[in-house]
Amino acid sequence: MINNLTIHRPNTILIDCTPGQGLVEHNPDFIQQLSLSVGFFPSFQWVMVMINWLESILPASKAFSPERGEQLLHILDTLSKASQNIDKAKITAHRPVIIFYDFHNLLSTIEQKGEVKMLAQVVFGWANKMASQNHAHVVFVTSDPFAGATTKRYVESRGGTVDVRMLDEYSSQATKLLNKITYDKKNLSFEEQLMIIKNVGGRLTDLLSLRSKIISGSSPIEAVEQIIQDTIATIRSEVFGNSTTAFWTEETSQQQKSQFAKTRAQSWITFRSVAEKKEIDYDQLVNRVYEGNEEPVHQLISSNILKIIINKKTGKIEKVTAFSPLYLAAFEQMIKDEQLSIGLDIMVKKWQIEKEMTKLKQYEDELVKLRSLVSQGYLGESEPQVIKERRKQLEGRFQTSITKLAELEEKLDQLTLSKEKPKNIKSNGILNKLWS
């Protein structure tokens, strides 16, 4: 995509920060990559090594140090002067474009927080200065779904502005691929293409998988069903199953197991809500379902199961939806599979009962302590008004919790009875729904 957009555009620099190319284990290599992209020859890092060797003054260190920070600023300052000279000379009508590719993922792989902060402050601060003074366009391209929020935090604190663009998954390449797929020696009809886009989406990876299934002899609708079932298997493994529990040992604590059960229940509530509403409010999801803990939600987003929708005006995360139409179709099919959905609903009810029991125990323990203090005369001859009000409040919460617990246990009993009844589930039950 970047090559296609910049191939005929002059004065464009691409700085590749992709982790896994030595940029993580040896952070100075980022300076090396930056200096080569800018045009230093020999590379800036090589020159610095020679100077250090000749002068034998600057000591070596493992991470980004002030010296390396100065190196970074020197390279960026050189790039800034070059951009200004191009702009002043009016060499071209196009303002210089500087693209940092995968810079945010590089930040996420560096373990030392001090290094991350220094690197982010220097690069984002420089980018803000370049853009605000109209010397160049600075673009950050990344697959990190939270990159927009990170960039805004650093840039807007310096009075700058950030334009966040989320790239659509459907592309002209997807259209070309669909037009090339044939079944029974015929091109796919418009209705079949529409059905595929609705249920699979436009990701090339998914469409290539669909094509291979059709080449193997499946009809378009059968291929779509197979891909949906494959996606369900992936979700069940990553979120509910063996990909986590397979690594449990005798040393795995009960707290870890309890947290996993809690996260599974929260995930199923989330998938149900997304399937029913298509989009759900991010803040409500975090606060009501995940009890204020954003980490499990971010894990689902980073795993490409869910996707965030950002408010273009504020740059904040506003909604959460399925990662793609394929995952939305998978959520919907999971709900339609009665045995699976009932089993997961039972898991949710058990977690909710456990949570309510914990609250009940807390209320009970505090009531016992208050009554003990009053009965033993530690608070005076009579019960103080503030203690009396607190006791009544706790008794009210205790009774509400008991009522809620009884309702949850009743629903659990109903679900358990439903699960025990034999069901006639057809493996191709989804086929009649795909065309609707």
Side-chain angles (χ1 to χ4, degrees):
M1 179 197 71
I2 294 173
N3 288 338
N4 289 338
L5 289 175
T6 60
I7 191 170
H8 296 302
R9 187 181 179 105
N11 301 317
T12 299
I13 293 177
L14 173 63
I15 302 164
D16 190 355
C17 312
T18 306
Q21 297 183 354
L23 301 185
V24 181
E25 295 82 359
H26 306 286
N27 292 333
D29 283 355
F30 171 71
I31 297 178
Q32 167 94 339
Q33 186 74 8
L34 177 64
S35 66
L36 290 173
S37 300
V38 171
F40 280 86
F41 183 81
S43 72
F44 189 84
Q45 189 66 20
W46 185 86
V47 171
M48 291 305 298
V49 169
M50 290 299 298
I51 291 173
N52 291 345
W53 179 73
L54 291 172
E55 297 181 353
S56 301
I57 295 175
L58 297 178
S61 61
K62 301 186 221 178
F64 277 111
S65 63
E67 289 77 13
R68 292 196 178 99
E70 290 172 8
Q71 294 174 25
L72 183 59
L73 282 170
H74 183 77
I75 297 171
L76 293 174
D77 184 56
T78 302
L79 181 56
S80 176
K81 290 176 181 177
S83 299
Q84 292 177 45
N85 291 337
I86 291 171
D87 196 36
K88 289 177 182 177
K90 304 296 181 187
I91 296 172
T92 173
H94 297 294
R95 189 171 296 161
V97 176
I98 300 148
I99 301 171
F100 288 85
Y101 180 71
D102 234 7
F103 180 69
H104 295 79
N105 281 334
L106 171 63
L107 292 179
S108 67
T109 55
I110 300 175
E111 294 180 359
Q112 289 80 7
K113 292 183 179 180
E115 295 174 12
V116 173
K117 187 176 180 181
M118 189 283 295
L119 184 56
Q121 285 179 339
V122 170
V123 173
F124 288 129
W126 175 84
N128 177 51
K129 183 179 178 181
M130 290 289 288
S132 61
Q133 294 179 355
N134 294 324
H135 294 317
H137 300 291
V138 184
V139 182
F140 293 89
V141 180
T142 180
S143 59
D144 181 357
F146 305 103
T150 303
T151 309
K152 277 180 172 290
R153 185 170 70 251
Y154 281 99
V155 173
E156 291 184 352
S157 64
R158 293 167 171 77
T161 58
V162 177
D163 184 10
V164 180
R165 301 291 179 92
M166 301 292 285
L167 298 181
D168 192 355
E169 66 164 17
Y170 190 75
S171 64
S172 58
Q173 289 177 306
T175 305
K176 293 176 182 176
L177 181 59
L178 282 173
N179 289 331
K180 290 180 180 179
I181 297 176
T182 59
Y183 174 70
D184 198 19
K185 298 181 180 179
K186 295 179 183 177
N187 290 332
L188 296 179
S189 66
F190 177 74
E191 290 77 13
E192 287 173 327
Q193 290 192 19
L194 213 58
M195 180 269 295
I196 290 170
I197 293 301
K198 179 182 177 182
N199 292 280
V200 177
R203 292 180 70 222
L204 287 177
T205 305
D206 297 328
L207 293 177
L208 288 169
S209 177
L210 177 93
R211 183 179 68 174
S212 67
K213 292 182 185 300
I214 292 176
I215 291 172
S216 299
S218 300
S219 68
I221 197 167
E222 288 171 342
V224 169
E225 184 193 6
Q226 290 167 15
I227 290 178
I228 292 174
Q229 292 301 327
D230 291 344
T231 305
I232 291 173
T234 300
I235 294 171
R236 292 182 66 173
S237 174
E238 291 187 5
V239 181
F240 302 111
N242 295 332
S243 61
T244 299
T245 57
F247 296 97
W248 284 356
T249 64
E250 293 180 358
E251 297 177 356
T252 303
S253 67
Q254 189 59 42
Q255 184 180 0
Q256 288 175 299
K257 294 178 180 179
S258 177
Q259 180 61 40
F260 177 61
K262 174 181 176 180
T263 304
R264 288 197 306 170
Q266 292 168 328
S267 298
W268 178 237
I269 294 171
T270 304
F271 298 161
R272 261 195 176 279
S273 299
V274 170
E276 292 166 1
K277 301 176 183 178
K278 305 300 184 282
E279 296 176 359
I280 51 179
D281 184 83
Y282 176 80
D283 291 329
Q284 288 184 5
L285 175 67
V286 170
N287 294 322
R288 294 181 182 180
V289 179
Y290 291 89
E291 303 170 334
N293 184 11
E294 290 183 299
E295 186 178 347
V297 187
H298 288 188
Q299 287 177 350
L300 291 172
I301 293 166
S302 299
S303 299
N304 292 338
I305 295 174
L306 297 179
K307 181 174 68 175
I308 54 176
I309 299 174
I310 295 177
N311 186 308
K312 291 183 178 179
K313 292 183 179 179
T314 63
K316 294 181 178 179
I317 302 173
E318 191 172 70
K319 302 278 186 182
V320 174
T321 186
F323 175 69
S324 69
L326 177 58
Y327 277 85
L328 180 60
F331 296 158
E332 292 171 344
Q333 180 60 13
M334 289 173 75
I335 293 174
K336 291 170 187 173
D337 185 335
E338 292 185 49
Q339 288 290 341
L340 174 60
S341 63
I342 289 174
L344 292 173
D345 287 341
I346 288 174
M347 175 190 66
V348 170
K349 289 293 174 283
K350 285 182 177 178
W351 168 66
Q352 291 174 334
I353 287 172
E354 183 182 346
K355 185 172 69 168
E356 208 59 42
M357 288 289 287
T358 302
K359 289 165 62 177
L360 201 62
K361 182 74 166 56
Q362 290 172 348
Y363 300 150
E364 184 180 14
D365 289 346
E366 189 173 350
L367 280 169
V368 169
K369 288 178 182 177
L370 289 177
R371 285 172 182 166
S372 175
L373 289 171
V374 172
S375 64
Q376 294 179 25
Y378 290 114
L379 302 174
E381 295 180 1
S382 60
E383 184 181 26
Q385 184 63 29
V386 65
I387 298 297
K388 186 177 181 180
E389 290 176 358
R390 177 58 178 168
R391 177 175 56 78
K392 288 184 176 180
Q393 184 185 52
L394 286 170
E395 287 172 346
R397 289 180 179 178
F398 188 82
Q399 189 57 51
T400 301
S401 192
I402 287 176
T403 304
K404 186 176 180 180
L405 192 59
E407 292 173 354
L408 287 169
E409 288 178 338
E410 183 181 353
K411 290 178 181 177
L412 178 61
D413 290 340
Q414 292 172 355
L415 287 168
T416 304
L417 287 172
S418 299
K419 188 173 178 61
E420 289 172 354
K421 292 179 182 178
K423 302 289 181 182
N424 294 321
I425 301 177
K426 296 180 180 179
S427 62
N428 64 343
I430 193 175
L431 293 181
N432 294 328
K433 303 290 184 182
L434 291 175
W435 294 94
S436 62

